[in-house]
Amino acid sequence: MKDYCDETSSISGEELLNFIKDNDMIDLIGIKKQLDMQKKERILQKHKYKIWQGSNGKWHTYISDPVKGRRLINRSTREGVEQAIIDNEQKSDSFKERYEVWIKRQEDCGVSPNTVRRYRTDYNRFFAGETIEKMALKNIDSDFIEAFFIRQIKEKKIPYRSIQSIFGYTRGVFEKGIRDRIIKENPCDYVDYRLWKKHCSDEKKRPVERSIITEEEMEKFMDVLQKSIKQDPDYIPNYGVMLSFYTGMRVGELAALTWECISFKDKYILVNKSEKINLNTKEVYLDKTKTGKIRYIPLMDEAAELLKHVRKIQMKNGWSSEFVFANESGRVQAASISGCIRRRCHTAGLGEKSISSMRKTFNSKLRCSGVSSVVAASILGHSPRVNEMNYTFDVSQMDYKLQLVNQAIMKKSNLG
């Protein structure tokens, strides 16, 4: 027995099958047909929708659709309907179809309509009309992904930050494909997209002077704002702009702020919601904050006095509202507060400034005063990394810098 096993151990499975086929020992074509038949029967057994014949004699059913969830089909015979079911299940899952499946998954997980809109805008910019659209997920490997992205970066002059986002979408599409048993591994795992940075175009950053409000500019701005308040003390958006100076709150958070979120006793403001706008429908609504998290902002004495003054104005005019910034028409929307700061800045000769400029100035003052990025980020409502990269600027005055230099240099020299 041992001798027989040694003699046959060198025979491969392919050689054995060819020997069986050549000697008519088995009908391989017949077996393939039988396996195909069994596979089709399993697909039909798993079909979850009813197949029925309508009054016009045609046969109907629903088949799965990556975008709509399901789609009605009509055929002249039942066999035609069954074949359509089989064809739908056996067709290749293209990248385009799977991208839509991934988007639907994001919607089901609670992603905002504006974020979904950005997913589709980025798709049209980056993937639409490209070969990858029609490729089956299983046929896309890491080499193709790398070559595709590098070509797109060079041709379309894409900055690195955008590539990070788009590569994240791509990874998500393949991850969903794994969960849906379409592919077994994610080719993005074998790509180091950080190496693409050298091919990316330079990030177009706004000049520092446009990002923040300097001390000199702030004096001019506050002078204009105070004059406007004096001329029209009942104009509520002015107070929203003023509170942003004391808190660094986003404009949507200011517009959604309610009185129950103000604690004068414990000296804090609870930020738990924000105004949003659906860019597709233009609907304005209140939802979670930008990060989906609540946070607490210290309530300065000046901010507390400002809020008490707003309440007196509302009581005087009989404006009963749960919202802090409300007038005779109800809640003041974010657009009114944004428009207010732009007009005041224009009057002060500061050019284009916004609530975002106020937030960056607020944060930069905290950081230049020695507040850590972790603490500043918790107050502003973003991550320490975002705080460091996008919100921190040098706002210290030259006199203060000179003082620091004198202290540092003269202390270690023999000249002092």
Side-chain angles (χ1 to χ4, degrees), residues 267-327:
K267 296 188 175 183
Y268 69 77
I269 296 175
L270 169 63
V271 180
N272 61 1
K273 52 187 170 294
S274 180
E275 179 188 299
K276 305 284 180 66
I277 180 170
N278 186 317
L279 296 176
N280 292 319
T281 64
K282 306 305 178 185
E283 174 197 3
V284 175
Y285 61 98
L286 299 185
D287 200 0
K288 296 178 290 186
T289 62
K290 184 176 181 179
T291 60
K293 299 178 182 178
I294 67 170
R295 69 183 190 279
Y296 295 87
I297 297 177
L299 182 61
M300 298 171 57
D301 291 340
E302 292 81 358
E305 289 303 313
L306 171 71
L307 290 169
K308 290 175 182 177
H309 182 68
V310 171
R311 178 176 276 177
K312 286 180 182 178
I313 292 174
Q314 291 178 339
M315 292 176 65
K316 179 194 72 174
N317 291 291
W319 300 338
S320 178
S321 175
E322 63 178 308
F323 295 100
V324 171
F325 300 111
N327 53 27

Side-chain angles (χ1 to χ4, degrees), residues 13-32:
E14 184 178 356
E15 289 175 327
L16 185 59
L17 285 174
N18 286 334
F19 175 81
I20 293 172
K21 177 183 176 183
D22 294 340
N23 290 274
D24 296 326
M25 296 177 67
I26 191 168
D27 182 5
L28 292 180
I29 296 177
I31 289 178
K32 184 180 183 304

Side-chain angles (χ1 to χ4, degrees), residues 215-238:
E215 288 290 341
E216 183 180 351
E217 289 176 330
M218 190 62 77
E219 287 182 13
K220 295 179 181 178
F221 174 77
M222 284 299 179
D223 183 56
V224 169
L225 186 61
Q226 292 289 0
K227 286 180 179 178
S228 178
I229 290 174
K230 188 174 181 180
Q231 292 172 357
D232 189 359
D234 291 349
Y235 185 65
I236 297 298
N238 276 330

Side-chain angles (χ1 to χ4, degrees), residues 51-308:
I51 300 175
W52 76 94
Q53 187 176 27
S55 57
N56 60 357
K58 288 193 173 183
W59 290 82
H60 314 271
T61 192
Y62 289 98
I63 58 173
S64 58
D65 184 279
V67 180
K68 300 178 181 178
R70 68 174 189 174
R71 175 165 52 88
L72 180 66
I73 61 168
N74 310 296
R75 297 292 186 273
S76 57
T77 64
R78 183 183 180 94
E79 290 75 16
V81 167
E82 291 178 347
Q83 189 60 49
I85 294 169
I86 293 167
D87 291 343
N88 186 64
E89 289 295 321
Q90 291 184 335
K91 71 179 180 180
S92 296
D93 288 281
S94 69
F95 182 83
K96 182 177 182 179
E97 291 172 326
R98 295 307 305 179
Y99 194 92
E100 284 296 329
V101 171
W102 174 75
I103 286 181
K104 188 175 186 305
R105 167 68 175 167
Q106 302 309 302
E107 289 178 310
D108 292 342
C109 290
V111 169
S112 72
N114 290 344
T115 301
V116 170
R117 187 173 186 266
R118 187 174 72 247
Y119 291 156
R120 291 204 167 97
T121 300
D122 286 344
Y123 181 91
N124 290 334
R125 177 192 174 199
F126 205 76
F127 299 110
E130 298 291 339
T131 303
I132 193 173
E133 273 199 307
K134 297 180 180 180
M135 290 180 66
L137 232 55
K138 63 183 178 181
N139 295 331
I140 302 174
D141 58 20
S142 57
D143 290 338
F144 178 87
I145 291 174
E146 189 153 18
F148 171 78
F149 268 86
I150 291 176
R151 179 173 60 83
Q152 292 291 307
I153 290 168
K154 291 180 177 180
E155 290 180 358
K156 298 180 179 178
K157 311 295 183 186
I158 301 171
Y160 184 62
R161 185 186 297 185
S162 297
I163 282 299
Q164 288 178 298
S165 298
I166 297 166
F167 185 74
Y169 307 161
T170 306
R171 182 187 291 278
V173 170
F174 284 100
E175 285 296 331
K176 185 67 171 73
I178 291 174
R179 287 196 295 270
D180 291 345
R181 309 289 197 279
I182 292 172
I183 53 176
K184 293 183 178 180
E185 62 179 0
N186 192 333
C188 294
D189 292 341
Y190 303 99
V191 174
D192 188 353
Y193 71 89
R194 292 168 295 185
L195 298 177
W196 303 340
K197 193 170 186 178
K198 62 184 178 182
H199 301 294
C200 293
S201 63
D202 294 332
E203 196 82 38
K204 292 182 180 179
K205 292 187 176 181
R206 296 180 64 184
V208 173
E209 59 271 17
R210 290 186 60 191
S211 297
I212 61 170
I213 304 175
T214 66
E215 288 290 341
E216 183 180 351
E217 289 176 330
M218 190 62 77
E219 287 182 13
K220 295 179 181 178
F221 174 77
M222 284 299 179
D223 183 56
V224 169
L225 186 61
Q226 292 289 0
K227 286 180 179 178
S228 178
I229 290 174
K230 188 174 181 180
Q231 292 172 357
D232 189 359
D234 291 349
Y235 185 65
I236 297 298
N238 276 330
Y239 303 107
V241 172
M242 184 72 80
L243 188 64
S244 72
F245 171 76
Y246 293 130
T247 63
M249 292 172 65
R250 297 182 178 92
V251 66
E253 296 167 348
L254 292 165
L257 185 63
T258 57
W259 287 111
E260 67 177 7
C261 292
I262 310 295
S263 176
F264 293 105
K265 178 182 177 182
D266 296 320
K267 296 188 175 183
Y268 69 77
I269 296 175
L270 169 63
V271 180
N272 61 1
K273 52 187 170 294
S274 180
E275 179 188 299
K276 305 284 180 66
I277 180 170
N278 186 317
L279 296 176
N280 292 319
T281 64
K282 306 305 178 185
E283 174 197 3
V284 175
Y285 61 98
L286 299 185
D287 200 0
K288 296 178 290 186
T289 62
K290 184 176 181 179
T291 60
K293 299 178 182 178
I294 67 170
R295 69 183 190 279
Y296 295 87
I297 297 177
L299 182 61
M300 298 171 57
D301 291 340
E302 292 81 358
E305 289 303 313
L306 171 71
L307 290 169
K308 290 175 182 177

